[in-house]
Amino acid sequence: MNTSHHYSRRRFLVLTALAGAVAAGMDALRAVAAFAADAAGWPADAFKQKSEADAAKTLYGKTFEPSDKVKLDAPEIAENGAVVPISVSSTLPNVTSISIMVKENPYVLAASYKIPEGTNAAVSNRLKMAKTSQVVAVVESGGKLYSASKEVKVTVGGCGG
Amino acid sequence: MRNKIIAALLLAALPVGAALAQSPQDQFKAAYEKAEATNKKAGELRNQWTVTANALKAAKAAADAGDFDKALKLAEQAEALAKASIVQTEREKTAWKDAVIR
Amino acid sequence: MFRKILISVACCAIFANGALAAETINPEQDFKEFRQFFQSKFPQVKLEDFVNGPYSVDEGLRKQWIEKEEFPPYDFALEKGKELMAKPFANGKTIADCFPNKGIGIRQDYPYFDAKEGQVITLELAVNRCLEQNGEKPFSYTGDDMASVTAYMAFTSRGKPFDIKIPNDPRALAAYEHGKQYFYQRRGQLNFSCASCHVQSPGELIRSERLAPALGILNAMPIYRSEWGGMGTISRRFTSCNSQVRGVPLKPQDAEYRDVEYYLSYMANGLPIVGPGSRP
Amino acid sequence: MASSIRVRATASGETTEVQALIQHPMDSGFVKNSKGELIPPHHIETVQFETGGKVVFTALWGPAVSKDPYVKFSFKGGKKGDDLKISWVDNKGASDSMTAKIQ
C-alpha cells in the first residue's frame, strides 16, 4: 500500500544525492552515495525470511557457526513479549555487523546493525517476541559469521490480540 | 389409583401447556426483560458484571437473527449472572471484613 | 491478639453495630498491620523497595527493569507533561498556576481530604478541575495527557515520602473506611477483590503476570505498561483492574475510587514517590 | 513540536556511549485493532548516527523492534560538545532527525 510511495521517495533521495555529488566532486560522490545506499538500503528481502539460515544468507550471502566470542544477553523469562531487552557484544576482531533473530517470530530477522570501524562491537535494543523462542545473535567478523543463541521464555506475547 | 395417575399426568402436562401458549419470541422477550431489570438492579448496587452485558448483547443478536431458542437460553444466562452479581454484592457487604489484614 | 480481645470485649459489652464500626475505623492501627503483613510476607524486600512493585519481588524482572530504566519509555510523557503544565490557557493561566509550588514536588500530598467539600481530592481530579475552572476542556482521566501531567508532577516529587493526612473528621474517616471496604470487597464474575491479587497473592503469577504488592503500589503512578504499550493513570489502573475480574468499572474518579486511592496512599505513608514507573 | 528522538550521548575517556529512544508506533502488521482489522505495518527501517562527518552506526529495523524503540551503542572518539546527528526513515517514507551535543 505504501510501498510505491516510499520507493519513489527513495529513488528521489538517491537521485538528489547523486546530482549533488556530481556537482561536489568525486570524494563527496563516494560519501553521499554511501549515505543514499544506507537510506535506501533497508534489506527488505532479509526481513521477510522465515529461518535464521535463510535470513543470514539473504543478508550476508553466507552461513554462520556458533562462537563463544559472541555474547548474547537476554532474560530467561521476558516480563512482556512486547519489550524484551536484548544485548549483543563480541570480542571478535573487525566486527562489521550484528544481527538479531527471533526464531519463532513470523519473520526471524528483528534488527541488524552496521558497525563501522571505530564503533564497538556491542549493541543493546528492545525487541518484540511473539512467543517463547530461541534468540540468535549473528556477528560478522573478518567477513565470516559467528553466532550465539539463547532461549527466552515469553508468557505474555508481544503480538497482542 | 387410576384417578391419581391421571391427575399426575395432567399436572405434569400443565407447565408444557403454559409454555406452548407463549410463542418462543414472547418467551425470549419476557426472559430478556427480566434479565435486564435484574442487571439494572446490580447496577444500582454498583456491581455489574461485564459478562452479564455480554450475554444480554448476545441474546439480542440471536433474537435479531431469529434464533429464539438460543436467545432465550442466553437471556436466562444473563439473568442468572445478574442475580449472582447481586448475591455477591449482598455477601460482600460484610464478608470483606474477614479478608482484612490483621 | 490484644486487639482481638478488645474487639470481643466490645462485641459483648455493646450490641450496637455502630459502636463496633466506630471501633474498627482506626487508620493508624491498619497502617501498622498492613506494613507488618507485607514485611513478614517478603522479609527479603527492603521497605522502601516495595514501591517498585513486581520488581521488588522478582530478580529476573528486576534486571529487565533496570535495563529499561536506562532510557525509560515514559521519557516522552515527562517532556509532554512539562509542556502541558506550562502551556497557557485561553485566559493566559496554566495548569501550574492551579497548584501549590506550581505543581512541582507536590505529588506526595495527594489525595487529601477537603474539609469544605467533605470529600477526597486526588491529583487527577485537581488537574481536571483546574482545566474546567479556567474554561478549558478537561482531559480524559484514562488518557495520555492526564498521564503526562501527573507523570511530570510525580517525577518532580521523586524521593518525597507520601504524606497523606486523615483529619479527625468523621467524613474523612468514613471516606477512608469506604476505600478500605472497596479494596477488600470481591467483585466481578471472577469474584476477586483488589486484595485477592495484591494482598493475598503478590509475587505470584496471574495470567503470567507477576502481581505487585499493595504496599506502595501507587507510589510509582502513573506507569508505562508494556502490556498497554503506553502510559496509564491511576484511573486507568483502577478501571482496568475491575474489567479484568469481569466487573463493570465505575466512572473514573468516582468517589469510591478516590476513597480507594486515599486508603492505599495512606497505607504507603513514608514511602517515597517514584513515579512515573515502568511496568510489564 | 517536540522531537520524536531523545538521545543521551556521553563521552568518557576514549569512548562515547550513545542511547537513543525514538517515539514511533512500530506496528508489526500482525496486530488487530479494536474492530478486528489488522493494523498495517508501520515501522522505522533505518536509523543513522553521524558525527564529525562520519556515520558511526546504522540500525536496520524490522517490525519486531519494540514500540518507542531504544538502542544503545558506543564508539571510539567523540568528545564533549561534538554534534551527533540522528536521523530515521520509516516504511511510509516519514522521517525525522535531530542533532544532539555529546555530553
Side-chain angles (χ1 to χ4, degrees):
Chain A
M1 178 180 120
N2 297 298
T3 17
S4 66
H5 175 59
H6 87 239
Y7 277 129
S8 65
R9 190 186 170 284
R10 293 259 159 83
R11 200 168 299 129
F12 169 76
L13 251 181
V14 175
L15 287 175
T16 2
L18 284 175
V22 169
M26 280 313 280
D27 267 1
L29 174 68
R30 224 170 288 131
V32 179
F35 167 74
D38 277 348
W42 187 70
D45 283 348
F47 278 103
K48 287 213 173 68
Q49 298 307 313
K50 309 234 173 209
S51 79
E52 305 94 280
D54 287 347
K57 211 173 279 168
T58 315
L59 195 60
Y60 301 104
K62 47 200 163 208
T63 54
F64 55 82
E65 58 182 75
S67 162
D68 57 5
K69 289 188 171 126
V70 176
K71 197 177 161 247
L72 169 63
D73 193 11
E76 300 282 335
I77 304 172
E79 64 161 30
N80 189 310
V83 186
V84 186
I86 290 170
S87 299
V88 180
S89 63
S90 175
T91 50
L92 290 161
N94 305 319
V95 170
T96 44
S97 171
I98 294 177
S99 292
I100 305 166
M101 303 179 193
V102 181
K103 194 179 164 79
E104 300 295 332
N105 272 2
Y107 303 125
V108 292
L109 183 60
S112 183
Y113 299 95
K114 294 188 188 180
I115 314 285
E117 208 187 322
T119 294
N120 297 318
V123 61
S124 301
N125 62 187
R126 299 170 188 158
L127 302 178
K128 287 178 233 173
M129 291 181 62
K131 53 184 165 204
T132 297
S133 171
Q134 208 67 30
V135 173
V136 183
V138 175
V139 169
E140 187 183 40
S141 154
K144 282 189 164 173
L145 296 183
Y146 303 92
S147 71
S149 62
K150 183 183 176 179
E151 188 187 68
V152 176
K153 287 192 181 69
V154 175
T155 49
V156 182
C159 288
Chain B
M1 184 66 186
R2 207 176 148 198
N3 280 352
K4 267 189 188 158
I5 291 169
I6 290 171
L9 281 174
L10 274 175
L11 274 174
L14 252 178
V16 177
L20 278 178
Q22 253 188 332
S23 74
Q25 196 164 350
D26 290 342
Q27 269 182 292
F28 157 73
K29 236 182 117 191
Y32 187 85
E33 275 165 16
K34 241 165 92 186
E36 244 188 347
T38 315
N39 195 36
K40 201 176 153 214
K41 196 182 156 204
E44 283 156 14
L45 295 168
R46 301 164 66 77
N47 184 24
Q48 281 176 328
W49 291 357
T50 52
V51 281
T52 312
N54 293 347
L56 281 169
K57 216 190 280 171
K60 196 153 187 310
D64 289 346
D67 188 347
F68 290 103
D69 281 350
K70 191 180 167 196
L72 175 65
K73 262 189 204 139
L74 284 163
E76 283 168 351
Q77 199 186 2
E79 196 202 348
L81 287 167
K83 271 187 180 158
S85 69
I86 291 169
V87 169
Q88 181 189 54
T89 317
E90 297 298 335
R91 187 185 62 230
E92 288 299 316
K93 275 183 180 162
T94 52
W96 68 273
K97 289 184 182 164
D98 300 332
V100 174
I101 291 172
R102 56 181 55 131
Chain C
M1 183 62 188
F2 179 61
R3 187 157 181 273
K4 280 213 178 119
I5 294 169
L6 255 185
I7 292 175
S8 50
V9 169
C11 283
C12 302
I14 312 155
F15 291 95
N17 269 334
L20 182 60
E23 207 271 331
T24 37
I25 305 183
N26 187 344
E28 283 158 49
Q29 181 74 24
D30 290 352
F31 177 86
K32 271 187 226 150
E33 285 163 351
F34 198 84
R35 196 142 295 193
Q36 217 161 43
F37 173 86
F38 282 101
Q39 287 190 286
S40 55
K41 192 168 176 108
F42 300 103
Q44 77 286 7
V45 176
K46 279 192 206 135
L47 182 61
E48 65 273 16
D49 203 25
F50 278 102
V51 297
N52 296 317
Y55 304 124
S56 64
V57 295
D58 186 308
E59 211 34 59
L61 286 182
R62 193 181 183 87
K63 209 182 149 229
Q64 294 174 67
W65 171 57
I66 289 166
E67 191 127 8
K68 274 195 303 183
E69 283 296 307
E70 280 200 37
F71 217 140
Y74 52 71
D75 222 66
F76 289 105
L78 288 180
E79 195 180 335
K80 189 174 172 197
K82 190 178 178 182
E83 278 173 16
L84 284 171
M85 277 178 71
K87 194 176 133 197
F89 303 145
N91 67 9
K93 287 192 180 161
T94 64
I95 293 177
D97 291 336
C98 293
F99 288 88
N101 198 35
K102 301 270 178 196
I104 304 298
I106 56 156
R107 168 70 184 97
Q108 70 284 355
D109 300 325
Y110 291 80
Y112 67 90
F113 184 80
D114 187 301
K116 232 184 281 164
E117 295 184 49
Q119 62 169 335
V120 171
I121 309 295
T122 63
L123 191 59
E124 290 172 23
L125 186 74
V127 168
N128 264 357
R129 281 186 165 188
C130 167
L131 290 166
E132 283 172 322
Q133 279 158 8
N134 286 287
E136 299 288 313
K137 229 182 103 200
F139 295 148
S140 154
Y141 279 117
T142 50
D144 276 352
D145 287 346
M146 182 61 85
S148 299
V149 167
T150 54
Y152 186 68
M153 287 176 164
F155 184 73
T156 60
S157 315
R158 277 190 175 180
K160 298 195 177 193
F162 249 135
D163 186 18
I164 305 305
K165 296 185 175 73
I166 300 177
N168 193 10
D169 177 330
R171 296 169 306 168
L173 285 166
Y176 167 87
E177 187 69 3
H178 277 146
K180 176 178 165 188
Q181 182 175 341
Y182 191 92
F183 180 78
Y184 283 108
Q185 271 173 336
R186 290 171 179 270
R187 65 194 73 248
Q189 191 199 20
L190 298 188
N191 199 32
F192 276 27
S193 66
C194 310
S196 310
C197 288
H198 301 288
V199 172
Q200 273 97 22
S201 339
E204 289 168 25
L205 292 169
I206 284 225
R207 288 162 42 157
S208 343
E209 282 180 48
R210 188 76 60 187
L211 291 165
L215 177 60
I217 201 167
L218 296 181
N219 296 52
M221 300 302 284
I223 49 173
Y224 183 103
R225 281 201 79 189
S226 302
E227 193 191 309
W228 294 337
M231 296 293 295
T233 55
I234 292 177
S235 290
R236 183 169 182 187
R237 185 62 280 189
F238 284 173
T239 50
S240 66
C241 275
N242 280 170
S243 322
Q244 276 170 344
V245 301
R246 299 187 191 154
V248 175
L250 307 173
K251 277 201 188 116
Q253 295 299 314
D254 184 282
E256 271 191 285
Y257 280 152
R258 282 183 281 129
D259 291 348
V260 176
E261 191 177 330
Y262 193 41
Y263 167 71
L264 281 174
S265 305
Y266 179 80
M267 290 295 118
N269 259 354
L271 299 186
I273 298 295
V274 290
S278 49
R279 293 288 181 270
Chain D
M1 257 294 279
S3 171
S4 67
I5 307 170
R6 315 252 313 147
V7 185
R8 285 181 207 149
T10 330
S12 83
E14 287 190 346
T15 58
T16 299
E17 187 186 84
V18 181
Q19 286 174 290
L21 192 69
I22 302 174
Q23 202 163 30
H24 199 283
M26 298 302 283
D27 291 318
S28 66
F30 295 104
V31 178
K32 286 180 183 147
N33 64 15
S34 52
K35 285 185 207 144
E37 306 151 344
L38 277 179
I39 302 166
H42 181 203
H43 61 88
I44 292 175
E45 289 183 342
T46 60
V47 194
Q48 191 162 266
F49 297 76
E50 291 172 81
T51 184
K54 184 180 172 258
V55 174
V56 288
F57 192 69
T58 306
L60 304 170
W61 283 346
V65 171
S66 300
K67 182 181 183 221
D68 297 341
Y70 163 83
V71 69
K72 177 166 96 170
F73 70 96
S74 63
F75 63 94
K76 293 190 186 74
K79 50 182 195 302
K80 282 186 198 350
D82 281 2
D83 279 346
L84 177 73
K85 189 185 173 200
I86 299 97
S87 45
W88 60 259
V89 180
D90 75 14
N91 66 326
K92 295 187 178 183
S95 63
D96 196 7
S97 69
M98 68 107 60
T99 301
K101 291 258 184 262
I102 294 173
Q103 302 288 310

